[in-house]
Amino acid sequence: MEHQEETETKGFLQSTTAKMIMVGLLSLVLLIPLFFVQDLILERSQRQKEMVVETTSKWGEAIFINGPIIRIPYKDTLSKKVYYAYFFPENLTGNVDAKMQKALERSIYKSNVFSTAMKFSGSYTNPDFTKKNIPDENVYWNLAKVIIQTKNLKSLKDEVQMKLGNQNLTFEPINSNDGIAGLESQTFDYKAFTGSTSFTLNINANGSNEIKIIPIGKTTSVAMNSDWNSPSFNGFVAPTTRNVTATGFTADWKVLHFNRPFAQQYFEHFPNLSSYALETDFITPVDEYQQNERASKYGFLVIGLTFLIFFLIQSISKINIHIFQYTMIGIALVMFYTLLISITEHSSFSLAYSIAGSSVVALITLYSISILKNRKFPLFIGIALTVLYTFIYVIIQLEDYALLVGSIGLFCILAAVMYFSRKIEWK
């Protein structure tokens, strides 16, 4: 009786169902080192971001320009306190030329940076204090200044100069009690101007990551060109025209005063207008760490499909594959991702993927020869793994069509599995 129970137990452990359960459990166990690999990728990615912030902060951070703005002090009629009035240009035209520079290197990390030459022109109308019922004698016209709100003081390449009417204005770091950081001109008497007053302004600065310009003109027109080929336009309004090629991009904006929810003049307090910027991000669509992260997300798919191939071969050919041999194959598949991230940091993702993929495919194929005792099945395994890794690489490189191609590919894989497993005896 005991001998019969042992025979039945042994028969179950050697059954197709038992083997499938063990292989499935092993696949789940291998998720643990796969999660550790994903944490490693995130850690290295975070380290890269820290290094990029550190290096770009010395070169020049994101460029932000809000100006030029006329600021005139006045005395309030009731409180007798002195406040500032801010007047924006009637029209503002900007031409921005951003040229990419040699990437900054720190250890194994690189930071994309650029230099900008920004030319602005436009005009002002006479400031109107009548809306606040402020008499002319309460306005300190002779203490007028032009201010430019910016965060890029240390990245300025040349002295900022502005021609307002027939006066040449120079700028110094701002030092005021109204909370504005940036540049301010020397004082001048605005009463010296009559009617519409035109201006020109040139700013040359180093930068990284993005360029943001506030459309403060009643009519604002901005033209931007660069040799960067992957911009992202994420500002308050999209460009009216854009042209992105492999060698760079051009973009043009035109914003009228009724396109944005702020006025042309402010009294007492200066508004925060940063959310209404015309913004261009100089992004890398899928950087190397993002590609590694996306590749690791397909890890369970690779492990599962590889085990499935071995299981189908085992079931069809009646060759016994021990659970230890499945474990060795699974560890080799996980090692692909550690090879990939380590080689990527010293070369390109494409080269690293080729080296890591070829190494793992060759290792598993050679190991399969000793397991399966022939060359027909290992050759099939090698071809199948090559196709699988190539398929995943194509998906990683795609952006807009990644989901579509991935879904079609998985459907084809499912159809193939259903076809080859149709004659397997599952009892």
Side-chain angles (χ1 to χ4, degrees):
M1 190 71 175
E2 291 180 358
H3 177 73
Q4 183 178 356
E5 290 179 356
E6 290 178 1
T7 303
E8 290 177 356
T9 303
K10 184 177 180 181
F12 173 75
L13 292 176
Q14 292 181 343
S15 68
T16 302
T17 302
K19 292 176 180 178
M20 178 178 290
I21 292 173
M22 286 188 289
V23 172
L25 290 175
L26 177 60
S27 300
L28 293 176
V29 170
L30 288 173
L31 285 179
I32 297 174
L34 193 60
F35 286 144
F36 282 125
V37 171
Q38 291 177 345
D39 287 339
L40 174 63
I41 295 173
L42 291 176
E43 177 186 337
R44 302 297 289 182
S45 177
Q46 184 62 35
R47 175 61 176 165
Q48 183 209 34
K49 292 177 181 178
E50 293 173 356
M51 297 299 292
V52 167
V53 170
E54 183 178 340
T55 53
T56 55
S57 64
K58 295 177 174 61
W59 170 269
E61 299 176 345
I63 289 181
F64 175 83
I65 301 293
N66 183 14
I69 300 162
I70 298 291
R71 186 184 67 184
I72 303 175
Y74 68 93
K75 184 169 63 176
D76 186 76
T77 307
L78 298 177
S79 65
K80 306 300 181 182
K81 292 183 179 180
V82 176
Y83 296 103
Y84 289 117
Y86 305 91
F87 300 93
F88 298 163
E90 183 70 9
N91 57 75
L92 177 67
T93 300
N95 288 281
V96 180
D97 182 21
K99 296 295 183 184
M100 302 304 298
Q101 303 298 311
K102 182 180 179 181
L104 302 180
E105 297 185 12
R106 180 75 177 272
S107 183
I108 60 175
Y109 304 104
K110 295 182 179 180
S111 306
N112 294 322
V113 294
F114 53 81
S115 292
T116 59
M118 296 175 283
K119 299 180 180 180
F120 298 95
S121 61
S123 63
Y124 295 98
T125 57
N126 285 332
D128 183 10
F129 285 86
T130 59
K131 293 183 178 180
K132 292 285 290 184
N133 295 320
I134 300 170
D136 191 71
E137 59 270 16
N138 283 11
V139 179
Y140 301 98
W141 297 100
N142 61 328
L143 297 180
K145 289 186 177 182
V146 173
I147 62 172
I148 301 172
Q149 188 180 21
T150 182
K151 304 173 183 176
N152 300 85
L153 294 183
K154 68 179 179 180
S155 63
L156 293 173
K157 297 167 59 178
D158 300 301
E159 184 178 0
V160 177
Q161 293 185 336
M162 176 180 179
K163 186 172 184 180
L164 180 63
N166 57 0
Q167 292 193 35
N168 293 318
L169 304 179
T170 58
F171 288 82
E172 297 292 338
I174 203 166
N175 184 16
S176 65
N177 56 6
D178 52 4
I180 302 174
L183 297 167
E184 65 178 1
S185 71
Q186 74 271 31
T187 59
F188 60 93
D189 187 358
Y190 202 90
K191 277 290 189 179
F193 303 107
T194 57
S196 178
T197 306
S198 61
F199 67 85
T200 58
L201 171 68
N202 296 334
I203 301 176
N204 299 324
N206 295 325
S208 60
N209 300 322
E210 64 183 7
I211 298 176
K212 300 174 73 172
I213 298 174
I214 308 297
I216 58 173
K218 196 170 185 178
T219 299
T220 302
S221 300
V222 176
M224 184 180 300
N225 68 86
S226 174
D227 52 357
W228 186 250
N229 60 6
S230 58
S232 177
F233 305 107
N234 296 321
F236 176 65
V237 294
T240 51
T241 61
R242 69 182 78 179
N243 182 32
V244 182
T245 66
T247 58
F249 75 89
T250 59
D252 298 277
W253 290 263
K254 185 174 183 179
V255 182
L256 305 179
H257 68 285
F258 48 74
N259 296 140
R260 67 316 189 257
F262 58 86
Q264 284 300 110
Q265 57 186 30
Y266 286 88
F267 297 87
E268 296 186 23
H269 302 291
F270 187 79
N272 182 5
L273 304 177
S274 58
S275 59
Y276 305 114
L278 309 178
E279 180 179 343
T280 300
D281 293 334
F282 291 70
I283 64 170
T284 301
V286 180
D287 68 22
E288 293 173 345
Y289 289 101
Q290 288 176 322
Q291 289 176 320
N292 274 271
E293 183 182 358
R294 289 174 61 178
S296 68
K297 291 180 179 178
Y298 293 98
F300 184 70
L301 174 66
V302 174
I303 293 172
L305 289 177
T306 303
F307 281 177
L308 183 59
I309 291 172
F310 275 94
F311 183 80
L312 291 176
I313 291 174
Q314 172 182 310
S315 301
I316 294 172
S317 63
K318 307 301 181 182
I319 298 174
N320 186 40
I321 302 177
H322 196 272
I323 193 66
F324 176 79
Q325 294 169 321
Y326 275 107
T327 304
M328 292 297 98
I329 295 169
I331 293 175
L333 293 173
V334 174
M335 280 295 298
F336 165 78
Y337 300 100
T338 58
L339 285 173
L340 180 61
I341 182 65
S342 59
I343 299 174
T344 297
E345 291 187 332
H346 298 276
S347 63
S348 66
F349 175 80
S350 299
L351 179 60
Y353 196 96
S354 300
I355 294 174
S358 301
S359 301
V360 171
V361 171
L363 178 64
I364 294 177
T365 301
L366 292 174
Y367 188 61
S368 301
I369 295 175
S370 62
I371 297 175
L372 302 177
K373 309 300 182 182
N374 62 52
R375 296 184 180 274
K376 179 179 65 175
F377 289 131
L379 179 61
F380 172 75
I381 290 171
I383 294 174
L385 284 175
T386 301
V387 172
L388 180 58
Y389 279 120
T390 303
F391 170 66
I392 292 174
Y393 178 80
V394 171
I395 293 178
I396 292 172
Q397 300 305 310
L398 294 174
E399 294 181 36
D400 298 333
Y401 298 98
L403 179 59
L404 176 62
V405 174
S407 300
I408 295 174
L410 290 176
F411 179 82
C412 294
I413 291 172
L414 175 62
V417 171
M418 293 174 69
Y419 176 79
F420 288 109
S421 63
R422 70 190 190 282
K423 294 183 180 180
I424 295 178
E425 180 60 50
W426 299 105
K427 295 181 180 179

